[in-house]
Amino acid sequence: MPELKDKLDTSVNGPEDPRPVFPAFDGDAWERVDWRRCEEEVRRLRSRIFKAVQEGDMATAVDLQKLMLRSWHNTLVSVRQVTQRNTGRKTAGIDGLVALTSQARAEMAVRVHATRGSHQPSPVRRVYIPKASDKTKMRPLGIPVILDRCHQARVRNALEPEWEARFEPRSYGFRPGRGCHDAIGSLFNTLRGKCKRVWILDADLAGAFDKIDHEHLLKAIGGFPARGMIAGWLRAGIFGAGKGYSPTEEGTPQGGVISPLLLNIALHGLEEAAGVRYRAGSRAREFKAGSPALTRYADSPGRVLPLQAGRRAGQGAAGRVAGAERAGVQRSQDPDRPRY
């Protein structure tokens, strides 16, 4: 696979053309891509970022993130994920564009790679779909344009491994290699046998995607190399049918490729706020005596509490989801459900 070059060599017949020039990459070249090699290169870089963060070597981690953001393999894998694999590949943003052929995907890959350092996010398209739990209620989605989605997939590959090295061990929603059954298993392991934690506070967060505080999130991201691009997506605004453009002062669009990761980053720290305490040494994943246990799946944290704390929760004194307000997220209006 030829690497994209930034410019032509200087010509003896005159000054060089300042515009970027790329080697031929068309639909046929797209079909000939060695996807196994591309995905292996991206996986290897993600692993190196994860390891550097685990070891506390943030300087190396940032350098590797910059390398990921410049990677042609990352661009190819990201464009393929958005335009060929994702279920929303046929859904267009406000520009009406999709890429459903090899030629269109090849052109999109070249365009994405050419704008990796200069891309300006576009507003999202507002659509509404019925909620899975209640068909009478509608869930708002924000559909970014396809160019934004491809860039979000690129940026996610650089940002996600950093936070996978930091995330709390008992959060399971929107994380690679984890799912609902892992959360169920976590609760089973906490409650089995002669468990002293006899109360469960089952909570939900209202409109978690729509209420994330931008400043809190950007502060958490810190010096990430593509922080400015993420800030642009957060503040890009919304176009709604019959309503026109409206700015976004909070939240991240539920429909963006990177939005689930941003939600997890915003909610990181709930364990500490809830008072969860772990043992040290070889038993580091075990809870200390008297500590509550918190299991979170997506935007639904559940706290498994010792008897005394559970009684307080049942009386309403512990009915608040600890720490969520720091991220700008609020509890659902449905009452929390303490269970014995």
Side-chain angles (χ1 to χ4, degrees), residues 313-337:
Q315 297 166 0
R320 184 168 63 94
V321 178
E325 289 83 354
R326 294 185 307 180
V329 179
Q330 300 176 345
R331 282 189 303 118
S332 170
Q333 293 302 313
D334 295 333
D336 295 336
R337 300 171 292 281

Side-chain angles (χ1 to χ4, degrees), residues 163-164 166-180 182-183 186 263-265 267-271 278 285 294-301:
W163 283 89
E164 279 297 312
R166 298 179 176 182
F167 281 146
E168 295 148 340
R170 290 178 175 241
S171 68
Y172 297 98
F174 307 130
R175 293 185 61 184
R178 296 186 172 212
C180 181
D182 297 304
S186 171
L263 175 66
N264 273 336
I265 293 173
L267 294 179
H268 179 65
L270 280 180
E271 277 196 353
Y278 289 98
R285 289 188 172 271
L294 187 144
T295 296
R296 178 169 66 85
Y297 181 73
D299 57 354
S300 299

Side-chain angles (χ1 to χ4, degrees), residues 111-145:
R111 184 179 175 191
V112 168
H113 205 70
T115 58
R116 62 191 185 278
S118 59
H119 175 67
Q120 296 298 318
S122 300
V124 301
R125 179 169 69 94
R126 174 67 82 202
V127 297
Y128 293 89
I129 62 172
K131 286 189 173 183
S133 58
D134 187 350
K135 299 297 183 182
T136 64
K137 296 181 180 180
M138 304 298 287
R139 182 187 303 277
L141 296 182
I143 309 300
V145 299

Side-chain angles (χ1 to χ4, degrees), residues 286-308:
E286 297 181 13
F287 297 108
K288 288 185 176 181
S291 169
L294 187 144
T295 296
R296 178 169 66 85
Y297 181 73
D299 57 354
S300 299
R303 295 174 67 194
V304 185
L305 305 168
L307 179 60
Q308 189 60 36

Side-chain angles (χ1 to χ4, degrees), residues 223-253:
F224 176 64
R227 183 178 184 273
M229 192 174 289
I230 292 175
W233 287 320
L234 293 174
R235 298 163 181 160
I238 300 170
F239 264 109
K243 298 181 180 180
Y245 174 81
S246 59
T248 48
E249 303 297 334
E250 61 182 1
T252 179

Side-chain angles (χ1 to χ4, degrees), residues 47-330:
S47 297
R48 292 176 66 190
I49 295 169
F50 179 89
K51 183 178 180 182
V53 175
Q54 269 196 329
E55 295 174 350
D57 189 355
M58 287 307 302
T60 298
V62 169
D63 287 341
L64 291 169
Q65 287 173 326
K66 291 178 180 178
L67 185 60
M68 178 72 86
L69 293 169
R70 295 194 303 266
S71 169
W72 172 237
H73 293 113
N74 184 25
T75 296
L76 287 176
V77 169
S78 299
V79 172
R80 187 190 189 208
Q81 183 67 42
V82 169
T83 64
Q84 196 166 333
R85 289 182 163 180
N86 284 0
T87 56
R89 60 187 177 276
K90 297 181 181 179
T91 305
I94 61 172
D95 59 0
L97 297 179
V98 293
L100 301 177
T101 66
S102 295
Q103 181 63 35
R105 289 162 181 156
E107 292 173 358
M108 180 58 61
V110 172
R111 184 179 175 191
V112 168
H113 205 70
T115 58
R116 62 191 185 278
S118 59
H119 175 67
Q120 296 298 318
S122 300
V124 301
R125 179 169 69 94
R126 174 67 82 202
V127 297
Y128 293 89
I129 62 172
K131 286 189 173 183
S133 58
D134 187 350
K135 299 297 183 182
T136 64
K137 296 181 180 180
M138 304 298 287
R139 182 187 303 277
L141 296 182
I143 309 300
V145 299
I146 192 167
L147 185 64
D148 273 325
R149 278 179 274 167
C150 292
H151 276 294
Q152 287 182 12
R154 278 192 333 103
V155 171
R156 183 183 63 185
N157 277 334
L159 181 62
E160 190 171 58
E162 173 189 345
W163 283 89
E164 279 297 312
R166 298 179 176 182
F167 281 146
E168 295 148 340
R170 290 178 175 241
S171 68
Y172 297 98
F174 307 130
R175 293 185 61 184
R178 296 186 172 212
C180 181
H181 283 82
D182 297 304
I184 294 172
S186 171
L187 290 171
F188 174 79
N189 289 331
T190 301
L191 296 169
R192 68 180 178 176
K194 296 181 179 180
C195 179
K196 295 182 179 180
R197 300 177 180 89
V198 294
W199 285 87
I200 298 176
L201 179 64
D202 182 13
D204 193 19
L205 304 179
F209 282 96
D210 300 324
K211 298 297 183 181
I212 292 175
D213 181 82
H214 289 175
E215 295 306 318
H216 169 84
L217 178 58
L218 292 173
K219 182 179 178 181
I221 291 172
F224 176 64
R227 183 178 184 273
M229 192 174 289
I230 292 175
W233 287 320
L234 293 174
R235 298 163 181 160
I238 300 170
F239 264 109
K243 298 181 180 180
Y245 174 81
S246 59
T248 48
E249 303 297 334
E250 61 182 1
T252 179
Q254 190 172 351
V257 174
I258 201 172
S259 295
L261 172 60
L262 298 182
L263 175 66
N264 273 336
I265 293 173
L267 294 179
H268 179 65
L270 280 180
E271 277 196 353
E272 180 182 357
V276 176
R277 302 181 305 280
Y278 289 98
R279 297 180 184 274
S282 60
R283 303 173 66 186
R285 289 188 172 271
E286 297 181 13
F287 297 108
K288 288 185 176 181
S291 169
L294 187 144
T295 296
R296 178 169 66 85
Y297 181 73
D299 57 354
S300 299
R303 295 174 67 194
V304 185
L305 305 168
L307 179 60
Q308 189 60 36
R311 287 175 176 159
R312 291 197 299 269
Q315 297 166 0
R320 184 168 63 94
V321 178
E325 289 83 354
R326 294 185 307 180
V329 179
Q330 300 176 345

